[in-house]
Amino acid sequence: MELWTYEQEAWETGTQTVCGVDEAGAGPLAGPVYAAAVILPRGLELPGLNDSKKLTEKRREALFDQIIAQAEAYCVAFVTAAEIDEMDILNARMLAMNRAIAGLNVTPELCLIDGNRDHGSAVAIAAPHRCIVGGDGKSASIAAASILAKVSRDRYVSTELEAQYPQYQFAKHKGYGTKLHYAMLDQYGPCPAHRKSFLKKWEAKRP
């Protein structure tokens, strides 16, 4: 299977535990950024496994349940909107991934990280790792992590934030900067779940 190429390379060099790591929700105006770390058993078949962005919500939900049922280890972690404002989104993404890796009950010998960044100005990926650009479509482990991170974040925003701040209709836009979201911001102003550092352009345009 093509999706196992990077894992296979690692196993062939004697690395036993390979972990996929990805994050979700770097771009929205509100809510936490999530990350997941997943160690899959060798030879696991998950039909339809792919980059979470290329899957329907229904397919992601189904795969989410299969992944958590069959993974050797997994952890989902997040960094809050307030923490994002304190540090910046790149450092927050790195921190979320570090938290997910640290939360595993198995210590991975190698982490496959989606993207080309492994550090911000203050936070770097601490575990042994390899960055893979477009990894969520090239590595089974990273694809699994992308699904766990995205589904977990979508569920949190659609339930918790929707319940706490119903006026913003978070279940519809998941915190992203849609027309509806900006219209709700214009009407109600930001709430504690908003990333203030992401609203500077919007603030500048306010009358």
Side-chain angles (χ1 to χ4, degrees), residues 173 176-186:
H173 52 68
Y176 285 87
T178 63
K179 270 188 179 176
L180 171 64
H181 193 175
Y182 277 115
M184 298 301 100
L185 273 168
D186 289 341

Side-chain angles (χ1 to χ4, degrees), residues 7-8 37 74 80 83 99 108 115 119 132 135 154 171 185-186 195:
E7 288 84 351
Q8 200 67 46
Y74 73 91
T80 66
E83 288 177 304
R99 285 177 178 173
H119 67 278
I132 302 170
D154 284 355
L185 273 168
D186 289 341
R195 305 172 181 178

